[in-house]
Every structure is written in C-alpha cells, then in structure tokens.
Amino acid sequence: MRIFRTYARVYATDLDAALSPLTALTGEPITTRFTMPNGLELATVGRILVVAGDERTLEPYRATSATLIVDDLDECQARLTRTGAEIVRGPQAAPTGRNLTARLPGGAQIEYVEWDEAQWERAGGRPAASNPS
C-alpha cells in the first residue's frame, strides 16, 4: 500500500469564508469542492482539506486530524486491523472514491481515501509508480 498524499484538515462553519484566505495565502486554487448528503461541504486548497458545516454536523468528524490518499483501501484496512486500529467509519463510497476512518492505538484518528479515476483527473493525474507525492 502506498500513501500518495496527506491533507491537513481544517474545520469551518462557513466554507467560502475559509477558502478565500487559504487561496490567497497558499497561492493554490481550489481543486475539489463538493457537498456530502449529510450537508458537510468539503474543498481542497493545496494540501489542506476544509470540512465545513454547522457545529452539530461537524461534531462526529472533528476528531479526525488528517486525510491520507492511498492506492489500495482494502490493503490499508488489513494493515490497520493488524496494528490494532479501530475502524470508526467505512469502508464506504465517497464522492471522490472510497474511504474509511480509523482510530489508531494511542488515539490518532485518520481518514484514508482511495480516489477514483475522476478524482485523480481533477487533482492533476495519478503520480508515477516510482514517484509518490
């Protein structure tokens, strides 16, 4: 299993208000933006994932500190299970592919996502096999 990208998570109650300063500070465009069925709005700017919604909707997600993009979610889940991690959510379909969230021994909670081809296209293409980013 390879980890292609790591995104820091930022939580906000107003997505547009959060995106404007992030794009200005990073000089990066918004590369992904979508709304989940539960009302959460998500967008990426550089290697930052902004998760926005009202406080009640955000509450179950606030413990997740990062999102890792992996090449094989099934292998990721097997490795997590072998290390004693607790699967908190998923695996499940997501607007960008499939994901799961796990709490690692020691308490860190991380989301793992296997992007579909459409998301790789939106993100500028899949990294070469010998050059993960």
Side-chain angles (χ1 to χ4, degrees):
M1 179 197 77
R2 290 180 50 206
I3 297 171
F4 289 114
R5 295 184 181 184
T6 302
Y7 288 90
R9 280 180 161 225
V10 173
Y11 294 94
T13 54
D14 183 329
L15 184 61
D16 290 319
L19 291 175
S20 181
L22 285 173
T23 57
L25 288 168
T26 64
E28 299 271 351
I30 299 165
T31 54
T32 304
R33 184 173 181 162
F34 58 90
T35 302
M36 299 288 291
N38 64 359
L40 283 181
E41 295 179 281
L42 288 84
T44 56
V45 176
R47 297 296 171 95
I48 300 169
L49 172 64
V50 182
V51 181
D54 62 46
E55 290 298 332
R56 184 173 163 206
T57 306
L58 286 173
E59 184 56 36
Y61 300 93
R62 285 194 180 274
T64 304
S65 58
T67 296
L68 278 60
I69 308 306
V70 300
D71 66 341
D72 186 333
L73 193 65
D74 296 325
E75 174 60 23
C76 178
Q77 182 176 6
R79 286 187 186 194
L80 288 165
T81 300
R82 285 194 302 270
T83 64
E86 172 194 353
I87 305 302
V88 176
R89 274 185 298 281
Q92 60 194 6
T96 57
R98 296 185 322 139
N99 73 342
L100 68 81
T101 301
R103 185 173 302 110
L104 305 177
Q109 187 165 298
I110 299 173
E111 177 192 30
Y112 301 86
V113 181
E114 180 182 343
W115 279 353
D116 58 24
E117 288 307 314
Q119 179 58 27
W120 276 116
E121 287 300 314
R122 286 188 291 272
R126 184 184 297 268
S130 61
N131 186 21
S133 58

